[in-house]
Amino acid sequence: MGTREIDEQHPYAWMGRRTRDVHDIWHILSGYHRDALGEASLVAFSFAQTGGLGWALIALGAAFKARGAREYPFIKSIWQGYRRGKGRGLAAGRGLRAPDVGAAGRRAPAAEHHPGHGLQFDPGAGAQRHAAQRRLVVAPLLVQRAARPLASSFETVFSALVRPNVVRFSAAFAWASALARALRALLRLIGSVIGKPQHAFLVTQAQPTAGDETMIQASEIREHMEVLGSDGGHVGKVDT
Amino acid sequence: MGADIELAKFDMGSGFKHHLIPMTWVDHVEDDKLYLNMTKDAAKAAWTEKH
């Protein structure tokens, strides 16, 4: 493809714009809020929908950051976002058209033609939805508190059921971790250059020992000084 | 042990490795030269290689 800019009519460009634009709409349709948990869950949903590894990287990063949070099932919510994304077909390809007009010239009931109807994000209205949300929060907590053998067997069954997804997530994780390692190495390299001490010496003990009359003040030593032995032999040069 | 002095890596005497020598080895400083209280060979036998 070279460096030529992708034409705006190109399917890739279309998909990029589409993904960007529907993100906020998905927030509304999915019920995932704009807080950190909602974003992370929707990002996992988006990865399942589009297969974009950038989404997976963000979702895995959020899950990694939240790994210590025990008061709320953060990671399970992200995983649920992914599962929901996998189970809904390609939501990005769904149209958001105005309600169709029926054959008799009347608008069909709004509930049947809600833009998000085809996506079926909302498991139910009112009490039903709240109950589902409660289950989302409470069920993982109950599982966590269950006896260890029971939890272990649950995980075995669970992992067998979701194996294809785990494999897909593993591939994404491998990519993401490799990218993170490369980034960390780059940052470390940059940091080592920027953070290099201006003086050559590393003060391991700042206070001179009492009675040590031969102690040379560190300020007397400057970079690039030639270091010579008592016999005048060249030993080296003070580093920058 | 006092402070350590880091020697330049890219110097003919260093073997292209960073080395550390303690401040207590310094005898005196004169102009742009730093004189040790031991010979060149003794210093190179006892200096620390920085990893």
Side-chain angles (χ1 to χ4, degrees):
Chain A
M1 186 152 47
T3 56
R4 187 171 57 84
E5 193 173 331
I6 296 176
D7 186 77
E8 63 176 8
Q9 297 300 320
H10 193 283
Y12 284 7
W14 180 89
M15 187 65 185
R17 289 194 304 274
R18 180 78 172 184
T19 306
R20 178 199 63 198
D21 293 342
V22 300
H23 178 78
D24 292 339
I25 297 171
W26 283 0
H27 265 293
I28 298 166
L29 297 180
S30 66
Y32 286 130
H33 291 196
R34 292 170 300 162
D35 54 10
L37 178 61
E39 284 290 356
S41 304
L42 186 58
V43 156
F45 178 92
S46 302
F47 167 61
Q49 283 286 314
T50 64
L53 292 178
W55 295 117
L57 180 65
I58 300 170
L60 289 169
F64 183 74
K65 290 282 285 183
R67 67 192 185 284
R70 297 189 179 281
E71 70 275 11
Y72 197 79
F74 204 103
I75 294 173
K76 288 181 186 297
S77 178
I78 295 173
W79 178 248
Q80 190 212 39
Y82 174 75
R83 296 296 307 275
R84 291 173 77 183
K86 291 295 286 185
R88 299 300 172 197
L90 186 60
R94 303 291 179 93
L96 297 174
R97 293 183 296 274
D100 295 333
V101 177
R106 291 185 297 121
R107 281 178 181 271
E112 294 179 21
H113 292 274
H114 187 276
H117 175 69
L119 306 179
Q120 297 179 347
F121 280 111
D122 199 334
Q128 242 184 324
R129 181 177 180 183
H130 289 308
Q133 286 176 339
R134 265 201 306 277
R135 281 198 298 277
L136 168 65
V137 175
V138 172
L141 288 175
L142 291 176
V143 171
Q144 283 174 359
R145 292 181 182 184
R148 187 175 291 274
L150 180 62
S152 174
S153 62
F154 172 79
E155 284 178 11
T156 306
V157 174
F158 183 75
S159 65
L161 287 173
V162 300
R163 193 172 297 280
N165 289 340
V166 168
V167 169
R168 185 169 168 73
F169 234 102
S170 301
F173 181 76
W175 272 100
S177 60
L179 185 64
R181 272 200 298 271
L183 194 62
R184 189 182 298 172
L186 181 65
L187 288 173
R188 194 175 294 164
L189 183 66
I190 294 170
S192 69
V193 173
I194 294 173
K196 192 161 190 173
Q198 292 298 309
H199 300 289
F201 35 85
L202 306 171
V203 178
T204 53
Q205 185 178 334
Q207 300 297 326
T209 51
D212 189 354
E213 294 178 1
T214 62
M215 178 63 70
I216 300 293
Q217 291 299 316
S219 57
E220 291 183 60
I221 302 172
R222 296 184 301 277
E223 57 192 52
H224 302 312
M225 267 187 163
E226 187 179 8
V227 180
L228 300 170
S230 58
D231 56 347
H234 177 81
V235 177
K237 276 192 171 181
V238 176
D239 199 6
T240 54
Chain B
M1 191 177 113
D4 285 344
I5 301 169
E6 187 175 337
L7 300 185
K9 181 178 179 179
F10 296 104
D11 182 81
M12 292 302 288
S14 68
F16 299 105
K17 289 179 180 173
H18 280 295
H19 292 95
L20 299 173
I21 58 171
M23 280 281 288
T24 52
W25 289 7
V26 178
D27 186 67
H28 65 281
V29 175
E30 191 177 313
D31 297 326
D32 280 330
K33 291 182 171 56
L34 189 152
Y35 288 90
L36 304 181
N37 54 17
M38 61 180 69
T39 63
K40 175 190 77 172
D41 293 336
K44 288 192 175 184
W47 65 13
T48 309
E49 189 175 322
K50 187 186 176 189
H51 297 286

